[in-house]
Amino acid sequence: MKRETTTEPSNADVEAAYDEYVMPIWKSLNVPVERASNCTLEDFEGTEYLDLFSGISVANLGHNDEAVVEAATEQLETFVHGCSYVHPNQPVAELAERLAELTPGDLQKSFFCNSGTEAVEGAIKLARKYTGNQEVVALEMGFHGRTLGSLALTGNHAYKHGMGSTINDVVHAPAPDKYRSPHRDLDDAAFAAAAAADLERTIGTHTSGEIAAVVVEPVMGEGGIIVPPADYLERVAEIARDHGGVLIADEVQTGYGRTGEFWAVDHVDVEPDILTQAKGIANGLPLGAFTASAEIADAFESGDHLSTFGGNPVSCAAALATIDRLEDDVIANARDQGEWLAEHLGVLADEYDVVGDVRGRGLMWGLEIVAPDERGPGPADVPAPAPKRAAAIADYLREEEQIVAGVGGYHKNVVRLQPPLSISREQLERALEGLRAAVDASR
């Protein structure tokens, strides 16, 4: 029986349709969206929300950016689907050339797909083909996707429970999570060396010693906005290459200005061998990519990898407009507003003992929420995670302050602030005021 619909749906109507017709996998922030503009979401009852999550770091320019909509509309009126791997077209060619200019080092050739998960899967296939090795090293608490291959790389049982085995030949090294590390009292250089030694030991004890790749997020998003020290990524690249492999930088969440530079690896002296990207690439239209040097990319032969919808010309046109806008003034705004936000979040952490740690870059920040009187896991002086309190903070923000924020981290106790990079100082001041009220209410 068809469900009756009305011309003016309500929040409840949309949620009911999800319950009845959408598989039970969606993670709701409890804000049904009828329309959105820049940093604002509006539900079906006219309530407006300040968006501090950007659809999980997707709407980096803000929702419905005029230049992106115009570029996509113009391409829609030209042609929608050319299958870029059968019929060469200008949006794909131009975007690939632009990425060769924007990506670090000698990265030159791109493969276009539909999502970050596909980008990671393709990058692993390419690394295996190029090196002739099979084993891949990822990090505990890392996140690289939910299909079987990318899920094998993801270092969190919460995403794997009930799924059985994924692919073989993947091992995980400890994450460079200084807050809960036994090496937390070391300075950054010494901590980087200790974390790199953990990686070297993992390769020595769990692999044949000949690997295809080490896969890392330059800032670990789902893991809890974990920012490794600069020397760590440099050492990881050396270790990967010393063992016959390549370094894959997973910039799906950190790319396109999120950290205040175009790529998160731009903050450090690291040139990855393969770089994966998606989320913010087309400001909401589905698109993913991985980019490699010509030498590595040419390991793929015709038919080794393909995507029917990958490199959709409408999405590629939107991506080109996104890049123009980011380079115009949006990344500079992310850098400036991020510096202001970092300072004020630090003050908030000093004031509240339930905020155990604040970390991030640009406009990608996490507040680790803790139970001050409880301990573990980790060193004896580190408070226990408080996931229920973190959820309560996010609920208060949404319900009382009309502000949308995320919650994540391995222990589900990190409040995630990843607003559109176009956010204003006034909006950040409102966010900080609401966050202070939410933390107060949670104590």
Side-chain angles (χ1 to χ4, degrees):
M1 177 183 294
K2 293 290 185 181
R3 179 175 173 272
E4 291 185 5
T5 60
T6 65
T7 56
E8 297 183 0
S10 66
N11 291 342
D13 291 332
V14 174
E15 290 176 330
Y18 263 67
D19 289 338
E20 189 169 355
Y21 299 113
V22 178
M23 290 189 185
I25 56 174
W26 58 293
K27 181 180 180 181
S28 176
L29 291 174
N30 293 326
V31 179
V33 177
E34 182 178 28
R35 60 178 57 87
S37 177
N38 198 12
C39 299
T40 301
L41 305 174
E42 184 177 333
D43 69 14
F44 291 84
E45 296 169 4
T47 303
E48 292 188 349
Y49 297 82
L50 176 62
D51 183 9
L52 300 184
F53 206 34
S54 308
I56 319 182
S57 281
V58 169
N60 284 7
L61 299 180
H63 300 280
N64 277 24
D65 180 82
E66 183 177 346
V68 175
V69 172
E70 182 179 343
T73 300
E74 183 177 342
Q75 182 58 45
L76 275 168
E77 293 172 346
T78 306
F79 67 95
V80 174
H81 174 69
C83 189
S84 63
Y85 298 104
V86 176
H87 302 293
N89 61 78
Q90 182 61 25
V92 170
E94 187 176 347
L95 180 57
E97 183 176 359
R98 198 75 177 274
L99 290 179
E101 297 168 353
L102 286 168
T103 47
D106 63 353
L107 302 185
Q108 179 180 337
K109 295 188 176 183
S110 294
F111 181 97
F112 294 107
C113 49
N114 305 286
S115 66
T117 291
E118 292 176 58
V120 170
E121 295 257 1
I124 293 302
K125 285 180 66 176
L126 178 59
R128 285 177 160 182
K129 185 76 185 292
Y130 172 72
T131 64
N133 300 329
Q134 297 298 306
E135 295 170 294
V136 180
V137 184
L139 297 182
E140 296 171 355
M141 303 194 296
F143 181 85
H144 302 285
R146 299 174 193 261
T147 54
L148 289 179
S150 59
L151 189 61
L153 302 174
T154 295
N156 188 336
H157 74 92
Y159 299 110
K160 301 182 180 186
H161 180 71
M163 304 297 171
S165 299
T166 55
I167 65 172
N168 297 322
D169 300 323
V170 175
V171 299
H172 291 85
D177 178 11
K178 192 173 186 181
Y179 182 66
R180 295 194 178 276
S181 169
H183 310 305
R184 69 190 308 261
D185 293 329
L186 300 176
D187 63 29
D188 280 355
F191 176 74
D198 287 338
L199 172 62
E200 188 78 72
R201 185 172 57 255
T202 298
I203 293 173
T205 56
H206 293 283
T207 77
S208 66
E210 297 179 348
I211 63 172
V214 176
V215 187
V216 296
E217 301 162 86
V219 177
M220 299 177 70
E222 298 294 325
I225 318 297
I226 296 170
V227 184
D231 292 348
Y232 174 75
L233 290 176
E234 294 177 37
R235 184 66 187 120
V236 168
E238 294 173 359
I239 292 170
R241 292 160 188 159
D242 286 347
H243 289 276
V246 299
L247 173 65
I248 299 176
D250 184 344
E251 293 256 15
V252 167
Q253 190 165 155
T254 55
Y256 292 85
R258 174 53 56 187
T259 66
E261 297 289 346
F262 204 97
W263 310 107
V265 292
D266 290 341
H267 291 277
V268 295
D269 187 22
V270 173
E271 294 180 1
D273 301 295
I274 306 174
L275 186 148
T276 66
Q277 55 211 268
K279 288 192 181 291
I281 187 172
N283 207 55
L285 276 75
L287 186 64
F290 57 97
T291 306
S293 67
E295 178 184 348
I296 294 174
D298 288 347
F300 267 170
E301 300 174 89
S302 178
D304 278 348
H305 201 54
L306 206 62
S307 172
T308 298
F309 295 104
N312 175 273
V314 178
S315 295
C316 288
L320 287 164
T322 297
I323 291 169
D324 286 341
R325 289 276 290 112
L326 287 170
E327 292 189 311
D328 183 21
D329 61 358
V330 176
I331 292 179
N333 185 67
R335 189 160 45 243
D336 293 343
Q337 304 298 356
E339 290 174 359
W340 182 90
L341 184 59
E343 178 183 350
H344 286 78
L345 289 177
V347 171
L348 186 143
D350 290 339
E351 293 177 358
Y352 293 96
D353 59 0
V354 299
V355 181
D357 193 31
V358 170
R359 50 192 181 250
R361 274 194 172 132
L363 285 174
M364 184 176 185
W365 287 89
L367 288 77
E368 179 144 351
I369 308 301
V370 298
D373 297 329
E374 302 175 25
R375 290 293 176 267
D381 61 336
V382 179
K388 291 183 179 179
R389 179 174 287 137
I393 289 171
D395 288 345
Y396 186 96
L397 283 171
R398 183 185 64 253
E399 295 169 7
E400 303 298 330
E401 303 290 337
Q402 286 72 58
I403 295 173
V404 175
V407 175
Y410 179 77
H411 302 288
K412 307 301 180 189
N413 70 317
V414 177
V415 176
R416 296 168 59 182
L417 307 179
Q418 296 166 259
L421 308 185
S422 55
I423 196 167
S424 69
R425 181 64 52 83
E426 182 181 4
Q427 288 170 320
L428 279 181
E429 289 172 348
R430 175 189 164 192
L432 196 68
E433 182 179 338
L435 187 60
R436 191 178 297 275
V439 174
D440 270 328
S442 75
R443 299 174 74 196

